[in-house]
Amino acid sequence: MGTFRHPIRVGRLDGTTFETLEALVDTGATWSWIPRPILDRLGIHATDRRRLQMASGQIVERDSGWALITAAGVTVPTICIFGDPESIPLLGAVTLEECSLAPDPVRQRLIPVVGLALSGARL
């Protein structure tokens, strides 16, 4: 499966400030990863720390916080990892699922998907 870049908008939860970025669509990343200087410039603050396993196998801990992300016309509040200053923005699996989007690597686009629910479940 190939990778591709897709434009996203990242903004404050109050919707007052946004920035458009080219993000790598990365279903192997749990959360979206945005370089810290961008989140700082937008006034997005870290509210937690998350442990992440890097592709090398190394476990790292990074700040995380809530932001609005718009992808393919869908805007959701989502957790973003505060990435290293020189890192590439990543659109992660959680954000894609929250937007009900899936990657189409052949056409290099995001496509809408229908969510799943338990059928016939009774509580």
Side-chain angles (χ1 to χ4, degrees):
M1 185 184 270
T3 60
F4 61 96
R5 293 179 187 264
H6 194 277
I8 62 170
R9 293 182 68 214
V10 179
R12 295 170 49 104
L13 287 178
D14 64 10
T16 58
T17 309
F18 279 88
E19 190 165 325
T20 301
L21 311 169
E22 285 287 318
L24 186 67
V25 177
D26 186 359
T27 59
T30 303
W31 297 287
S32 293
W33 174 288
I34 307 296
R36 177 180 285 280
I38 294 169
L39 296 173
D40 288 344
R41 187 167 53 243
L42 291 168
I44 296 169
H45 303 288
T47 57
D48 201 0
R49 289 187 62 82
R50 306 272 171 163
R51 289 173 39 99
L52 306 147
Q53 184 172 356
M54 306 301 283
S56 66
Q58 176 188 16
I59 304 291
V60 299
E61 197 170 288
R62 293 286 186 270
D63 287 338
S64 67
W66 288 87
L68 289 178
I69 288 190
T70 302
V74 180
T75 303
V76 295
T78 192
I79 293 172
C80 289
I81 302 300
F82 283 64
D84 301 327
E86 68 284 350
S87 61
I88 297 169
L90 301 176
L91 183 59
V94 168
T95 306
L96 287 167
E97 287 186 12
E98 290 169 334
C99 289
S100 296
L101 296 169
D104 175 353
V106 173
R107 293 187 178 90
Q108 297 194 345
R109 63 185 180 144
L110 297 175
I111 56 173
V113 294
V114 175
L116 302 174
L118 259 135
S119 63
R122 289 198 172 128
L123 299 177

